[in-house]
Every structure is written in C-alpha cells, then in structure tokens.
C-alpha cells in the first residue's frame, strides 16, 4: 500500500521523503525517470506517493499536483519567499533584485518578502525604499538584532524559501533566529566582492512548526528557464497590471509602442523608473 509524504531534500542520488516522523531514502520508479521531460521531475517540497520497501527505503511512484514551483532553485509547494539582499558588502544591485522578484512572481508564490540584511553596515535608504510600496520589506542585522523577531515570526508558518545572491548573509540570518540549524557560513571575498557559495543543496528544514529552505546562492537568474518570454514578462511586474489594459495596441510590449499606458504611468510617477528600467533591460538582454 502506498503512503504519502513530503520530499525534504535530494542528496547522493536519493530523495529523502518525510512520512510521519520517519525520513525515508527513496528512488524514482523507472517510468518516472524516463518521463522527466514531461514534468515528472521531483523537487524538494513535493508531496509524493511512495511504496515502502523491506530494506527501509522507498520508491516514489507519483508526484501530487503542485501549487507553486520556484525554478531557480527548484523548490515546490512554497507558501512564501524571502528575497534577501545586503545593504552593503556586497552592495545591492537594482536589476538583480528585480530579476529575483520577477522569478518569484512567475513561480506563483503567494507571498513575496524582501529582506535587506547587514543594515549595521549601511543604515541609510536605498532603492528598497521604493520597493517597500510594492512588497513587504524587512530590515535585519545579526549584529544589532534588528528585525530578528519579525523574521522569526514569518518563518514559523508554512514553507518559506530563503533566496538571494551569495554573500548577503542568508545562512547567518537563519542561524541567528534558530541556533539549532548550524548552517555553514562563508565570508565575502574582498577581491571580487561577492559571496563564496556555502549552501550546496536545497533542503526543507523544520522551523518552529514551519519549514525553511536555505537555497544555494547565485548571482545570475535565467528567466527563460522559468518559462518567461517577451510576451509575458510584463505580467511579472504587478504594478503594470492596472495600466496595461489601457494601452492602444493589444499585445503591447510597453517598450516602444505609441499610446502605451504603462509608459505614461512611468512618466507620471505612478510606476517607479527603476522598475521600468529593469523591465526594459530584461526585455532586451535576458529575453533577446
């Protein structure tokens, strides 16, 4: 008889599935291996039906439908994502932040939070002051304790993915709010001013009744891998939605067409120039 469990991580060719209080190492059913290109791949966060084996392992027979899927890194059935950036060391990058937000929006995640870490290094304002009008922004510092309680509360319910560029302090933040995690922390290279990769796998870790995923850091996000193209990129910029229906042309790209309501909204300050500039860059460079 099959049982239903949640995939916690993939490691050493095994999917570790939590069934009740047990964590079973599982392999894929042969047919699922052959059908990976048709959507049968298994990711951390998936709910799966498994068949228990006599040796204590299991066989994954079926993956249940997902409510969301973050593509980079691949984690399924997420309730929240916290996109983490540093106030300094490394300095925040507007375009990179908007790429991360775009990816999260495309993934169908209900709640997107932005976390500005290392505020003790730069307590002043930056472009996140604009973004807080679109997304909740948490300001944190492991040195001063700023934002730790707020962060802990968010992490204590549902499945939350921690994502962001390398070196912004994701693992340090998680260690600060839960000392039992003991995640490996790397320094920021002074030579190249970007973080050394310390998190190697995506894993659901239990946290105060919820799950948290500390994801591998990366500095570049592929939009095409997430199924984003030139026609639907604008839909990942949620502030465009109120104006796009008023464009003169159906299928307006909001870049060069005349009588574009989105461009007019930028001109009138109803859409932030920094967001629109990032949109144009992604349209021309990422999706060329």
């Amino acid at each position: 008889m099959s049982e239903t469990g949640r995939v916690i991580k993939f490691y050493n060719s095994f999917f570790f599935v939590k069934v009740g209080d047990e964590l079973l190492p599982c392999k894929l059913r042969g047919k699922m291996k052959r059908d990976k290109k048709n959507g049968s791949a298994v990711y951390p966060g998936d709910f799966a039906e498994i068949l228990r084996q006599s040796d204590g392992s299991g066989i994954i027979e079926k993956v249940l439908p997902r409510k969301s899927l973050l593509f980079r890194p691949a984690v399924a059935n997420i309730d929240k994502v916290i996109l983490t950036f540093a106030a300094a060391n490394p300095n925040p990058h507007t375009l990179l932040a908007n790429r991360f937000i775009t990816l999260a929006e495309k993934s169908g995640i209900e709640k997107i939070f932005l976390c500005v870490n290392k505020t003790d290094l730069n307590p002043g304002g930056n472009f996140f002051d604009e973004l807080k009008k679109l997304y909740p922004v948490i300001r944190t510092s492991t040195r001063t304790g700023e934002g730790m309680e707020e962060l802990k509360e968010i992490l204590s319910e549902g499945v939350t993915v921690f994502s962001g560029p390398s070196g912004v302090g994701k693992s340090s933040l998680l260690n600060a709010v839960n000392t039992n995690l003991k995640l490996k922390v790397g320094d920021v290279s002074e030579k190249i001013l970007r973080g050394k990769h310390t998190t190697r796998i995506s894993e659901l870790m239990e946290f105060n009744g919820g799950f948290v995923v500390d994801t591998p850091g990366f500095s570049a996000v592929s939009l095409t891998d997430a199924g984003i193209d030139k026609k639907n990129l604008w839909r990942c910029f949620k502030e465009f939605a109120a104006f796009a229906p008023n464009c003169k042309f159906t299928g307006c790209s909001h870049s060069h067409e005349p009588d574009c309501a989105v461009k007019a909204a930028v001109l009138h300050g109803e859409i932030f120039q920094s967001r629109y500039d990032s949109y144009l860059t992604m349209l021309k460079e990422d999706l060329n």
Side-chain angles (χ1 to χ4, degrees):
M1 180 180 294
S2 63
E3 302 172 78
T4 300
R6 185 166 212 158
V7 179
I8 300 300
K9 65 179 177 179
F10 176 73
Y11 187 67
N12 281 350
S13 300
F14 282 95
F15 294 94
F16 288 82
V17 180
K18 185 170 185 180
V19 182
D21 293 329
E22 296 181 86
L23 194 61
L24 303 179
C26 298
K27 291 281 191 177
L28 292 180
R29 177 70 69 190
K31 182 180 178 181
M32 292 186 67
K33 293 180 183 179
R34 292 192 296 272
D35 289 344
K36 276 186 179 181
K37 291 184 179 180
N38 296 323
S40 294
V42 181
Y43 302 108
D46 271 329
F47 289 100
E49 291 183 2
I50 70 163
L51 188 63
R52 194 184 293 260
Q53 304 297 290
S54 59
D55 62 359
S57 66
I59 300 293
I60 295 178
E61 299 195 304
K62 180 181 178 182
V63 174
L64 302 184
R66 305 177 181 111
K67 69 176 183 180
S68 63
L69 177 64
L70 186 67
F71 292 88
R72 277 276 194 101
V75 185
N77 298 314
I78 302 159
D79 299 299
K80 295 165 282 186
V81 61
I82 299 178
L83 303 177
T84 310
F85 303 89
N89 192 28
N91 292 327
H93 192 285
T94 308
L95 178 59
L96 182 60
N98 283 319
R99 278 199 183 110
F100 273 69
I101 293 170
T102 299
L103 192 65
E105 288 282 5
K106 176 61 177 177
S107 301
I109 300 167
E110 296 178 3
K111 298 179 181 179
I112 299 173
F113 296 84
L114 306 181
C115 177
V116 184
N117 193 30
K118 304 184 185 180
T119 54
D120 54 290
L121 299 179
N122 180 16
N126 48 41
F127 65 89
F128 288 104
D129 290 337
E130 292 183 347
L131 290 175
K132 71 182 180 183
K133 296 178 182 178
L134 299 171
Y135 300 95
V137 174
I138 314 160
R139 293 175 58 84
T140 58
S141 170
T142 56
R143 292 187 179 180
T144 67
E146 181 183 8
M148 292 295 104
E149 287 303 315
E150 183 181 2
L151 183 62
K152 195 173 191 177
E153 183 177 346
I154 293 171
L155 294 172
S156 296
E157 184 178 355
V159 177
T160 305
V161 160
F162 237 57
S163 192
S166 298
V168 299
K170 300 187 299 294
S171 296
S172 295
L173 280 172
L174 292 177
N175 286 337
V177 294
N178 188 336
T179 56
N180 293 327
L181 293 177
K182 295 182 174 140
L183 299 173
K184 186 178 180 182
V185 177
D187 297 325
V188 174
S189 168
E190 293 182 3
K191 182 177 180 181
I192 58 177
L193 289 179
R194 66 183 181 185
K196 301 174 183 177
H197 296 276
T198 53
T199 306
R200 299 299 180 186
I201 59 173
S202 295
E203 175 182 356
L204 272 67
M205 298 172 288
E206 293 188 61
F207 184 95
N208 290 8
F211 288 96
V212 63
V213 185
D214 181 30
T215 61
F218 54 92
S219 59
V221 178
S222 172
L223 302 182
T224 54
D225 286 348
I228 299 173
D229 57 30
K230 287 188 174 183
K231 291 182 180 179
N232 64 32
L233 174 63
W234 72 267
R235 299 182 186 278
C236 299
F237 286 72
K238 65 179 184 179
E239 66 270 39
F240 287 16
F243 306 99
N246 299 320
C247 292
K248 180 178 180 180
F249 297 100
T250 302
C252 181
S253 70
H254 317 303
S255 60
H256 63 278
E257 297 88 347
D259 298 322
C260 171
V262 170
K263 290 196 297 183
V266 177
L267 185 63
H268 297 143
E270 296 170 289
I271 292 176
F272 294 123
Q273 185 69 51
S274 62
R275 287 275 287 170
Y276 183 66
D277 289 345
S278 291
Y279 169 77
L280 290 180
T281 299
M282 285 185 249
L283 195 67
K284 295 175 182 178
E285 297 181 4
D286 295 66
L287 301 174
N288 187 15

